[in-house]
Amino acid sequence: MTFFLQLVITGFGLGMVYALIAIGFVIILKCSKAFNIAQGQFVMIGGYLGFTFLVTFNLPVWASILAAIAVAVVMGGLIERLTLRPLVGQSVLAIIMMTIALGTILEGVATLVWGGEYKAYHGALPTITLKVGEFSIPPETLIGIIVSILVVVALMALFRYAKIGLAMRATAEDEQVVQSVGIKVTSIYTISWMIACVVGVVSGIILGGVSGVMVSMSEVGMKALAVVLLGGIDSIGGAILAGIIIGVLENVAAGYLDPLLPSGGGLANVFPFIIIIIVLIFKPHGLFGLKRIERI
Amino acid sequence: MLQVNNIEVAYMSVIRVLHGVSLTVDDGKIVALIGANGGGKTTTLKSISGLLKTEEGEITSGNIIFNNHRIDKYHPESIAGLGISQVMEGRRVLEHLSVEENLNIGAYRRNDRAGIKSDLDMVFNYFPKLKDFRRRTSGYLSGGEQQMLVIGRAMMARPKLMLLDEPSLGLAPLFVHEIFKIIKKINAEQKVAILLVEQNVRAAFGIADYGYVMENGRIVLDGPADKLRDNEDVKEFYLGLSTVGSQKSFRDIKHYRRRKRWLS
Ligand SMILES: Nc1ncnc2c1ncn2[C@@H]1O[C@H](COP(=O)(O)OP(=O)(O)OP(=O)(O)O)[C@@H](O)[C@H]1O
Ligand SMILES: [Mg+2]
């Protein structure tokens, strides 16, 4: 029972990270109608930023996260302004190609700045623990869960109650209408990229605390695609639910089945992709997408 | 208030749609713009609101003046900021947003909370149905309710000029009457000028002060609405009061020039 609980809780932590990354995808999908292939690289940059602020600058956790968010805002804004803005009105394919290029460039930048080596900083985190039954949640998982819940709640509030959140949802529906009421869609794009970058970077910090950072960490972006699909592509709430489902299932499945495999492990790495295949075959619109409104 | 001076418009630089259109809307007036399908009425409205630029359309010559601003090169958001609200053709509600959220989007550029709240009540006053449905997802409203919603949304910006594109499209005759009554009331009470594009010529001239008839990208006739209503050609082609064949156009009529001179 303790083992199961442990798997569920660490799986939940992982799932919240998936959810954050998936939200990044969904936000860009809603405004640019394209998958941002570089979302995983935002995560990787976040991991290295976490290392820089926590270890190199020796800042406390909250300050490191705020500093990383500030960097992410600037980075997201610059990326949109310099690389995506010129493509407004171009095909979705052009945008996807641009994000592929961006992703590769970000990996190059990370290698230049941080040397591309493995870095870990869970030692720099405060050692708070919480006991659930026999099992005590490790501090990096606990901090990860707290931070990701805070960010998700903040985002939900932003979309539901803030003026800019309303404008973002409206822009996703009809850009012409939004312009006709005087909203500048280009600023909505900029803000969308900033938010996508922020959620990527924050998930990177959390993930880096749990499993360390290296350039190949960006592959987690592709894993989060499974979450996006299962969540129904265009729904933030769906992405959160799907993130938790996949995180928990993946962790539990790996925990029980890995020891039985001849290789002794590796299930966690393929699990999300198995989900992608199943979802695409049986439920191509995902589980929780926005309902298509069709009236007769 | 609004002067459109001899504008020519082309889409994608090659499809020429307007060939020198001029019209004027004075403060507080309702001006109707009528004409056959594809004549360029919607294009004229989009030229004024700037939305033309979002569709690869361009004003290639002429200019548009609104309250001393030359707006033909402005972006749509700046034009909206000057007080022009366009209600686009085809009831463009933001489907997944609630009725109230749709209305709030209309007030996006405003920061006067109290004013926005009282304007929300004003819209609910003109369209009581919207108040009952304020939390409902707007995509599930009926066509008529959606038309009320998009007009209400435009009013939430407190515009000085509203551009209405075929508000009667697809509505039951009784409801058309209703909505035109409300448009007239909004115009009178809120002191907002209205440029109204309509296929329902009778209804449009019923509330308009002045009218323009458009064909193939040109204004072919204009005058006070009551005069146009009595005009033989308008009667024949748009009010269906004649037995003559329907394939004819103004251009085929020899006496058209004379009539125009008489009217102006
Ligand atoms: N975005 C566009 N790109 C290319 N051509 C366009 C575009 N929009 C309109 N047109 C063309 O311009 C001409 C005028 O169209 P417009 O929509 O202004 O007509 P309309 O008078 O509003 O017609 P209706 O009564 O059918 O609404 C049409 O021939 C149309 O095909
Ligand atoms: Mg039209």
Side-chain angles (χ1 to χ4, degrees):
Chain A
M1 190 60 203
T2 309
F3 182 57
F4 177 72
L5 217 67
Q6 177 183 346
L7 289 175
V8 170
I9 291 171
T10 45
F12 177 76
L14 179 67
M16 287 302 284
V17 172
Y18 283 163
L20 278 181
I21 304 172
I23 289 174
F25 275 114
V26 173
I27 288 173
I28 298 306
L29 263 169
K30 278 179 173 255
C31 82
S32 301
K33 313 288 174 248
F35 276 108
N36 169 23
I37 306 296
Q39 190 67 30
Q41 277 77 7
F42 291 174
V43 177
M44 178 265 305
I45 295 283
Y48 279 117
L49 286 175
F51 174 80
T52 300
F53 291 125
L54 282 162
V55 176
T56 315
F57 294 154
N58 204 11
L59 294 176
V61 175
W62 62 269
S64 302
I65 292 177
L66 287 185
I69 287 178
V71 174
V73 166
V74 175
M75 185 169 117
L78 282 178
I79 287 178
E80 193 278 330
R81 191 67 195 81
L82 298 180
T83 68
L84 280 315
R85 184 75 60 87
L87 297 189
V88 168
Q90 300 283 328
S91 75
V92 165
L93 204 60
I95 298 172
I96 295 181
M97 293 304 291
M98 181 61 92
T99 66
I100 291 176
L102 267 176
T104 314
I105 289 171
L106 285 178
E107 291 190 355
V109 169
T111 313
L112 278 176
V113 177
W114 290 283
E117 312 147 30
Y118 177 79
K119 311 255 191 212
Y121 50 81
H122 57 265
L125 297 173
T127 47
I128 41 165
T129 47
L130 184 73
K131 264 184 126 50
V132 179
E134 308 264 286
F135 161 65
S136 57
I137 306 173
E140 59 271 16
T141 302
L142 188 60
I143 292 174
I145 290 178
I146 294 170
V147 171
S148 49
I149 288 180
L150 283 178
V151 173
V152 165
V153 169
L155 280 179
M156 295 299 274
L158 180 88
F159 287 123
R160 186 81 7 223
Y161 302 111
K163 212 171 162 182
I164 187 72
L166 179 62
M168 287 175 72
R169 281 188 291 141
T171 306
E173 294 214 11
D174 194 328
E175 292 190 357
Q176 237 183 355
V177 164
V178 156
Q179 280 172 290
S180 80
V181 299
I183 297 172
K184 212 173 153 187
V185 273
T186 46
S187 1
I188 303 290
Y189 288 160
T190 312
I191 291 165
S192 300
W193 280 89
M194 285 174 173
I195 295 178
C197 213
V198 165
V199 289
V201 161
V202 169
S203 28
I205 295 183
I206 298 170
L207 215 55
V210 176
S211 50
V213 190
M214 50 187 162
V215 172
S216 65
M217 180 182 181
S218 50
E219 284 161 18
V220 74
M222 291 299 114
K223 281 174 113 180
L225 269 186
V227 175
V228 178
L229 273 180
L230 185 66
I233 307 238
D234 57 359
S235 151
I236 305 266
I240 296 168
L241 263 176
I244 295 170
I245 292 175
I246 292 188
V248 171
L249 283 183
E250 169 186 323
N251 222 34
V252 171
Y256 284 107
L257 298 181
D258 269 357
L260 307 178
L261 295 177
S263 59
L267 187 63
N269 279 330
V270 292
F271 189 83
F273 297 100
I274 297 174
I275 302 252
I276 290 188
I277 293 173
I278 295 174
V279 169
L280 283 179
I281 292 175
F282 293 104
K283 203 96 175 55
H285 297 295
L287 289 185
F288 317 102
L290 284 178
K291 273 204 213 73
R292 299 270 161 277
I293 294 182
E294 276 167 34
R295 293 185 329 111
I296 315 134
Chain B
M1 155 180 252
L2 175 80
Q3 283 108 31
V4 176
N5 297 317
N6 209 16
I7 56 166
E8 303 198 355
V9 168
Y11 286 106
M12 291 169 285
S13 312
V14 286
I15 309 172
R16 298 184 57 224
V17 174
L18 299 188
H19 316 276
V21 168
S22 301
L23 58 85
T24 303
V25 181
D26 288 327
D27 273 318
K29 293 281 191 265
I30 299 183
V31 173
L33 177 59
I34 66 161
N37 290 121
K41 305 180 295 298
T42 300
T43 302
T44 306
L45 293 194
K46 285 190 293 200
S47 311
I48 299 168
S49 67
L51 286 178
L52 194 63
K53 298 177 192 76
T54 67
E55 294 184 1
E56 292 190 58
E58 197 196 352
I59 301 174
T60 51
S61 84
N63 60 59
I64 302 175
I65 314 285
F66 180 67
N67 288 344
N68 302 322
H69 294 272
R70 182 167 169 184
I71 60 171
D72 47 284
K73 295 275 187 291
Y74 283 17
H75 287 291
E77 62 268 13
S78 319
I79 295 173
L82 289 175
I84 297 182
S85 276
Q86 178 170 8
V87 177
M88 276 178 278
E89 200 170 0
R91 302 186 216 115
R92 303 270 284 269
V93 297
L94 302 165
E95 289 191 329
H96 293 98
L97 272 54
S98 73
V99 167
E100 194 167 342
E101 284 172 333
N102 263 278
L103 294 172
N104 281 330
I105 273 289
Y108 189 81
R109 290 183 72 100
R110 300 170 56 184
N111 290 311
D112 53 326
R113 272 170 173 266
I116 294 175
K117 214 188 151 308
S118 76
D119 281 357
L120 199 61
D121 289 333
M122 169 203 54
V123 170
F124 288 153
N125 200 16
Y126 286 111
F127 304 110
K129 266 248 177 79
L130 294 184
K131 186 170 190 174
D132 303 337
F133 294 155
R134 62 197 290 175
R135 309 242 172 274
R136 201 174 278 191
T137 304
S138 60
Y140 293 117
L141 296 181
S142 79
E145 290 153 3
Q146 291 187 342
Q147 190 61 53
M148 300 183 204
L149 180 56
V150 290
I151 294 177
R153 185 173 66 202
M155 290 169 69
M156 289 300 290
R158 276 221 159 266
K160 302 186 181 88
L161 170 67
M162 280 213 281
L163 312 174
L164 300 184
D165 201 344
E166 302 203 24
S168 76
L169 192 77
L171 301 184
L174 217 63
F175 194 79
V176 172
H177 182 67
E178 180 71 26
I179 215 130
F180 273 76
K181 244 174 46 193
I182 299 174
I183 292 171
K184 180 76 190 167
K185 204 166 148 213
I186 292 169
N187 160 258
E189 294 175 0
Q190 307 300 324
K191 312 272 177 266
V192 49
I194 291 172
L195 178 54
L196 172 67
V197 163
E198 251 309 322
Q199 298 286 354
N200 190 328
V201 176
R202 197 185 310 268
F205 284 167
I207 62 167
D209 300 293
Y210 201 84
Y212 291 88
V213 181
M214 189 164 205
E215 261 189 31
N216 297 321
R218 290 187 176 82
I219 302 285
V220 291
L221 194 65
D222 68 303
D226 43 357
K227 277 221 176 103
L228 285 185
R229 224 173 351 190
D230 296 333
N231 178 290
E232 289 303 322
D233 299 334
V234 173
K235 270 189 189 164
E236 182 175 338
F237 293 111
Y238 296 106
L239 297 174
L241 294 179
S242 164
T243 50
V244 188
S246 54
Q247 288 297 341
K248 274 204 268 175
S249 146
F250 270 124
R251 300 166 139 251
D252 306 330
I253 303 175
K254 288 186 219 86
H255 60 244
Y256 149 65
R257 286 270 160 219
R258 180 170 48 83
R259 257 180 219 290
K260 187 166 186 220
R261 233 174 286 126
W262 166 71
L263 271 166
S264 52

